[in-house]
Amino acid sequence: MKHEDDWMVEVVCAEHNHDPASYMKGHPYPSRLSEVEIQITVDMSARNSKSRDILTELKKRDPNNVSTIRTIYNAHKKHKTVERSGQSQMQSVFSFLNDHEYFFDYRANHTTYELEDLFFAHPGSLDRLRAFQNVLLMDATYQTNRYGLPLVEIVGVTSTS
């Protein structure tokens, strides 16, 4: 039975117009990580190792490894997505704030539903603020994230410094 969407491939010339690659760095198939290498990447990431150190360790264990730093970034991102159970980054942030009983409030654009403002405070910080209300420091840092949004950090100083 023939469908309208069926494809057919006809090889006209089976010769390549170039020699095979002599070094496979950057090619997706040989650059992929094995299960053991993925586990090493996850373990080292959990210990806050830098991506370049993870790549160096993988290449030290296997001199034939042709992975790039991008491979490490992708593996790390994939693990974080699985770890978050498919939640978006913002869903993950809100879950964290809820689970750890932070005080938080936010404001979103009613048309696009994009987050515009987020305020959160650690429960212990609020207790200290109630106990020591006299000194409060505020610092606004602008365009420190990939979204170009400002970050305002507020630090309180107790009477015992």
Side-chain angles (χ1 to χ4, degrees):
M1 184 172 155
K2 182 103 169 128
H3 296 286
E4 289 180 24
D5 295 336
D6 285 349
W7 285 79
M8 187 173 189
V9 176
E10 181 180 338
V11 178
V12 177
C13 176
E15 296 179 23
H16 284 281
N17 61 359
H18 59 85
D19 293 331
S22 57
Y23 187 63
M24 299 303 287
K25 181 178 181 181
H27 289 269
Y29 184 77
S31 294
R32 73 192 187 288
L33 299 176
S34 68
E35 290 298 323
V36 172
E37 291 171 327
I38 290 171
Q39 192 57 49
I40 291 168
T41 303
V42 168
D43 292 343
M44 289 183 73
S45 293
R47 292 191 309 264
N48 295 327
S49 297
K50 295 179 180 175
S51 295
R52 68 171 182 242
D53 296 334
I54 295 171
L55 183 60
T56 302
E57 179 64 25
L58 294 178
K59 289 185 180 284
K60 191 185 327 176
R61 290 175 183 237
D62 179 11
N64 296 323
N65 185 315
V66 293
S67 298
T68 62
I69 197 76
R70 174 58 46 202
T71 310
I72 305 303
Y73 293 151
N74 290 344
H76 183 70
K77 183 176 181 179
K78 183 177 180 180
H79 174 70
K80 284 291 185 189
T81 301
V82 169
E83 197 175 59
R84 288 193 315 251
S85 305
Q87 291 181 325
S88 70
Q89 289 178 338
M90 286 313 305
Q91 289 170 328
S92 182
V93 168
F94 282 122
S95 292
F96 177 87
L97 295 173
N98 255 337
D99 295 346
H100 292 86
E101 299 179 352
Y102 277 68
F103 169 80
F104 69 96
D105 197 11
Y106 66 94
R107 194 170 57 190
N109 184 313
H110 296 295
T111 308
T112 63
Y113 299 107
E114 291 178 342
L115 182 70
E116 291 184 344
D117 298 307
L118 173 65
F119 174 83
F120 60 90
H122 188 275
S125 296
L126 293 175
D127 293 339
R128 285 186 216 46
L129 178 62
R130 288 183 196 100
F132 307 101
Q133 307 163 17
N134 297 333
V135 180
L136 202 60
L137 305 174
M138 296 174 69
D139 176 29
T141 307
Y142 294 93
Q143 298 179 355
T144 60
N145 55 35
R146 65 178 159 176
Y147 306 108
L149 296 173
L151 170 69
V152 178
E153 183 176 358
I154 303 171
V155 179
V157 179
T158 67
S159 61
T160 57
S161 295

